[in-house]
Amino acid sequence: MWRSRPPLALAWLLPFALIFGGFQLAPLGYVALGAFRVDDGWGLDHFREIATSPFYRQAIGRSLEIALVSSAAGLIVATLACYGLTRAGGRIRRVLIAFTNMTSNFAGVPLAFAFIILLGANGTLTLALERLGLVDTFNLYSRGGLMIIYTWFQVPLGILLLLPAFAGLRREWREAASLLGAGRLDYWRHIGLPVLWPSLMGTLTILLANAIGTYATVFALVGNNYNLLTIRIANLVSGDLFLQPQLASALSLVTVALLTLMTLTQQRLTRGRSTCG
Amino acid sequence: MRVDIERRRRDGLALHWWILVPVFVSLALPLAATLLYAVSTRWGATLLPDGLTLEWLQRLWQTPRFLAAFGRSLVVVVASLALSLVLILPVAFLAHTRFTGLARWMNVLVLTPFAVPPVVTSVGLLQLYAGGPLPLVGTPWILIFTYVSIALPFVYRSLINSLRGIDAAELMEAAQLLGASPLVAFLRVILPNLRLGIRIAIFLSLSFLIGEFVFANLLVGTRFETLQIYLFNVRRESGHFTSALVITLFTFILILTWLGNGKSEIVAPEERAS
């Protein structure tokens, strides 16, 4: 063991502790306390307000809705794509994986802008579809439009998270199953999917958290006009009208609680099974 | 019999192509449309643009506001990265070689920037640093310090991976047996061996931080217009010009990611599935 005096070595940790404490942990602590802070002391008033306000309940509902729909859709598409990728030739697969990696970096404001170009009111694809008579009008700035964008950015992330698990599926298992008389569907039902299950649930949880935390893309697209948790929180601390940081803190805690609940559910659902990949 | 096998193989091929083509075409569409828009003269109500030009890209690089925003982004990102390397290097080193308890703590801590949405952290930051003894809101300083925190997972992980590869404890011991003080041993023996990890940390965090919008918008906004804020502010102006901006930004991020990721790639162990 190499030596230096422990106190001296620990002094090297101090600057990092100050910055990380001050700009990551302290804000979280402040939010956790602020949520219970009311004019004359402490209380649950902000949570009561959230629970009784149709506006905030709608924000929670819509956040959950868009997260569940886009994560489920994203997971299904990503699973199919991973299946396709494992069957594609080595070279094509490498190109497609590199491309997936690239699209997973395309997020936030640039992504919103690209979708305006493609599917906005005068978007190239919107016009093409309208001309072909496939759609009457398409509104990107609506619930349906947001679902499409969310699903779009969930798919590459899902593919990158699931690929290692698919790589862990042994070719011999399929051969053994087939020797024992199992068809393709039997293989997936009794071997493939059960083996993938922990990874699928883990990926789903990350996708859900990703969707619930999303702010930049929606804000760039519809500003404050679509009622979501992150949009409400940001509006309460940076809007033009009167600010309510304590209510924002309470909503933040609700968000964190939802994320925690999802993680715990996932751990329960996959308990006793090892994660592969 | 042989024909039958041949046909089945072709059908098998067809199935995965039926999945891959639509998925990857959909993923490519927004990028392709933006790229085409950035290099087209005019793209009205037609399926394809009228003509191609580099005028928009040229105009972008002659726009002072863009260049200023680019400069500001670089200053913030490079400053936070330099600071985070200086701060996290000793932590990663000590966690890896001397204090296993610290390593356990760090493994939990590095998850927080991922687990907590940036909007939530902003709520706390805005209240802590809006006034009081440290009025940092609205200045680039708050971005620099916050970016150090959110770059932590990338920087710490790549440094730890790099430290695992070099057997740091043994190198330190050898250097000290030869008479070097711990600090000298760290700077002259360990640091040069961490070059790859540091390089990966730099490029991964750079590409991540250049694309950061939430903190930039909520904590500073137009008071210090970075690239993402600039893009946000001009997103409803000329589509061609903004497309050129998006493509430039994305290319920049891609090059950084590629430089950071260059050597690692994910390849399925099965060369070919049955």
Side-chain angles (χ1 to χ4, degrees):
Chain A
M1 195 78 206
W2 59 277
R3 293 169 311 271
S4 73
R5 277 162 296 150
L8 199 67
L10 284 173
W12 286 101
L13 307 179
L14 202 64
F16 167 77
L18 276 177
I19 297 286
F20 193 74
F23 293 84
Q24 180 72 49
L25 302 178
L28 290 183
Y30 207 87
V31 165
L33 288 178
F36 300 98
R37 184 102 206 138
V38 290
D39 293 335
D40 48 354
W42 306 87
L44 293 172
D45 299 26
H46 302 302
F47 293 98
R48 211 169 289 129
E49 183 178 346
I50 292 167
T52 52
S53 149
F55 189 52
Y56 292 124
R57 279 164 57 175
Q58 186 195 45
I60 296 172
R62 285 195 166 170
S63 272
L64 284 175
E65 176 193 53
I66 201 162
L68 286 170
V69 173
S70 71
S71 304
L75 187 69
I76 291 167
V77 176
T79 309
L80 290 172
C82 282
Y83 165 77
L85 283 173
T86 53
R87 302 218 127 203
R91 189 150 174 207
I92 292 166
R93 181 172 56 219
R94 272 193 292 276
V95 170
L96 290 180
I97 290 172
F99 179 77
T100 310
N101 218 332
M102 183 173 110
T103 46
S104 73
N105 280 313
F106 198 58
V109 189
L111 175 67
F113 179 80
F115 267 89
I116 296 174
I117 292 286
L118 188 70
L119 283 168
N122 290 310
T124 49
L125 189 61
T126 316
L127 293 177
L129 291 175
E130 281 171 4
R131 190 152 303 183
L132 292 168
L134 290 174
V135 291
D136 280 341
T137 51
F138 177 78
N139 184 6
L140 178 65
Y141 311 99
S142 67
R143 168 159 45 190
L146 287 177
M147 295 274 185
I148 291 177
I149 294 201
Y150 270 64
T151 308
W152 190 94
F153 70 63
Q154 301 271 43
V155 168
L157 182 60
I159 293 177
L160 292 179
L161 290 169
L162 279 177
L163 263 180
F166 267 85
L169 289 178
R170 287 292 159 80
R171 183 182 176 168
E172 297 89 71
W173 297 345
R174 194 190 313 245
E175 279 162 3
S178 144
L179 278 175
L180 294 168
R184 238 191 208 172
L185 280 179
D186 292 323
Y187 165 77
W188 282 109
R189 221 183 111 199
H190 296 292
I191 299 166
L193 283 179
V195 170
L196 289 177
W197 176 250
S199 306
L200 286 171
M201 287 300 106
T203 305
L204 183 66
T205 312
I206 295 177
L207 293 185
L208 284 169
N210 187 36
I212 286 189
T214 291
Y215 169 75
T217 312
V218 203
F219 185 64
L221 209 60
V222 292
N224 294 318
N225 295 328
Y226 196 79
N227 200 8
L228 291 176
L229 271 171
T230 46
I231 296 284
R232 282 286 71 78
I233 294 169
N235 199 231
L236 283 170
V237 288
S238 71
D240 304 322
L241 296 168
F242 45 97
L243 307 178
Q244 291 174 277
Q246 264 97 44
L247 191 56
S249 300
L251 270 182
S252 297
L253 273 200
V254 171
T255 311
V256 172
L258 286 176
L259 296 176
T260 313
L261 194 69
M262 284 168 178
T263 313
L264 291 178
T265 314
Q266 178 242 324
Q267 282 174 353
R268 242 192 115 85
L269 284 175
T270 53
R271 196 170 41 188
R273 302 185 201 227
S274 63
T275 317
C276 61
Chain B
M1 190 60 192
R2 190 146 158 225
V3 177
D4 197 44
I5 291 169
E6 284 286 294
R7 186 184 301 144
R8 206 190 305 159
R9 185 179 295 162
R10 236 181 300 140
D11 285 352
L13 271 178
L15 176 65
H16 76 254
W17 283 117
W18 276 105
I19 299 168
L20 289 178
V21 172
V23 169
F24 282 93
V25 167
S26 319
L27 285 183
L29 269 179
L31 287 163
T34 313
L35 179 61
L36 204 52
Y37 221 85
V39 294
S40 60
T41 48
R42 218 176 60 88
W43 197 352
T46 49
L47 205 57
L48 284 173
D50 295 348
L52 298 179
T53 175
L54 288 178
E55 189 203 327
W56 306 108
L57 281 163
Q58 245 162 25
R59 199 184 288 181
L60 178 70
W61 287 97
Q62 287 161 3
T63 305
R65 192 174 161 195
F66 162 72
L67 293 172
F70 200 22
R72 286 189 204 103
S73 275
L74 281 183
V75 166
V76 167
V77 166
V78 170
S80 18
L81 207 62
L83 188 57
S84 64
L85 278 175
V86 171
L87 295 182
I88 298 169
L89 252 171
V91 178
F93 177 69
L94 289 173
H96 182 70
T97 54
R98 292 205 57 186
F99 305 107
T100 41
L102 178 65
R104 259 200 308 275
W105 270 95
M106 287 304 290
N107 284 339
V108 178
L109 282 183
V110 293
L111 292 177
T112 45
F114 283 148
V116 183
V119 166
V120 171
T121 316
S122 299
V123 172
L125 285 169
L126 277 171
Q127 293 173 79
L128 281 169
Y129 302 108
L134 278 175
L136 297 178
V137 169
T139 71
W141 291 107
I142 192 160
L143 275 190
I144 293 176
F145 294 136
T146 308
Y147 284 0
V148 169
S149 307
I150 59 172
L152 173 74
F154 302 98
V155 177
Y156 183 76
R157 282 262 151 259
S158 11
L159 291 180
I160 285 286
N161 287 342
S162 205
L163 281 163
R164 281 210 184 104
I166 64 167
D167 202 348
E170 206 157 301
L171 281 177
M172 280 301 280
E173 213 166 324
Q176 292 202 300
L177 278 176
L178 294 171
S181 74
L183 188 62
V184 170
F186 176 75
L187 291 177
R188 311 233 357 219
V189 179
I190 302 294
L191 209 52
N193 278 300
L194 293 179
R195 258 176 313 193
L196 182 65
I198 292 174
R199 200 188 82 178
I200 293 173
I202 288 176
F203 290 121
L204 285 184
S205 337
L206 270 182
S207 62
F208 172 69
L209 293 178
I210 281 274
E212 206 287 322
F213 171 77
V214 184
F215 287 119
N217 184 47
L218 288 174
L219 302 177
V220 183
T222 46
R223 283 164 285 187
F224 188 81
E225 193 178 65
T226 55
L227 269 180
Q228 294 287 325
I229 302 294
Y230 172 60
L231 172 61
F232 180 78
N233 289 332
V234 298
R235 75 195 186 287
R236 301 214 185 271
E237 287 171 25
S238 157
H240 296 288
F241 178 79
T242 317
S243 295
L245 171 55
V246 167
I247 292 301
T248 306
L249 203 66
F250 188 52
T251 314
F252 193 65
I253 291 175
L254 267 192
I255 294 171
L256 291 173
T257 320
W258 178 75
L259 285 172
N261 256 339
K263 287 192 175 141
S264 62
E265 58 174 29
I266 314 158
V267 181
E270 287 178 287
E271 239 332 275
R272 183 180 289 190
S274 58

